[in-house]
Amino acid sequence: MVTESLRTLPSVDELLDQAHRLRADADLMDGYARRLLATASELSACSAAPEWSRPTLEQQAAACGTAAKQLRTAAEALLAHSRA
């Protein structure tokens, strides 16, 4: 016998909390990007640093920036849904 469970929708407060967490995560990702870029900058002055290190750190920083934008977009979508 198959039973079907009813899926409940999150409350407005739960959506707002999740949007807040997504924004906080986006802020963290922006911070990581800044730290990666700072490290890349410091390594450029270090002759012992491998050639690949700076471009790799810059790519990782760009990925963090992209993730931050996506998290903020998701937060905005949740906020829009909570207002509907």
Side-chain angles (χ1 to χ4, degrees), residues 24-79:
D25 288 346
D27 291 342
L28 285 173
M29 295 306 290
D30 281 335
Y32 297 146
R34 284 190 298 275
R35 288 170 55 188
L36 287 163
L37 290 174
T39 301
S41 179
E42 289 176 19
L43 285 176
S44 67
C46 179
S47 60
E51 284 185 34
W52 55 262
S53 61
R54 183 179 171 114
T56 299
L57 291 171
E58 289 171 348
Q59 288 174 336
Q60 291 172 344
C64 288
T66 299
K69 287 179 187 177
Q70 291 172 342
L71 288 165
R72 286 193 179 90
T73 299
E76 290 303 316
L78 283 176
L79 290 174

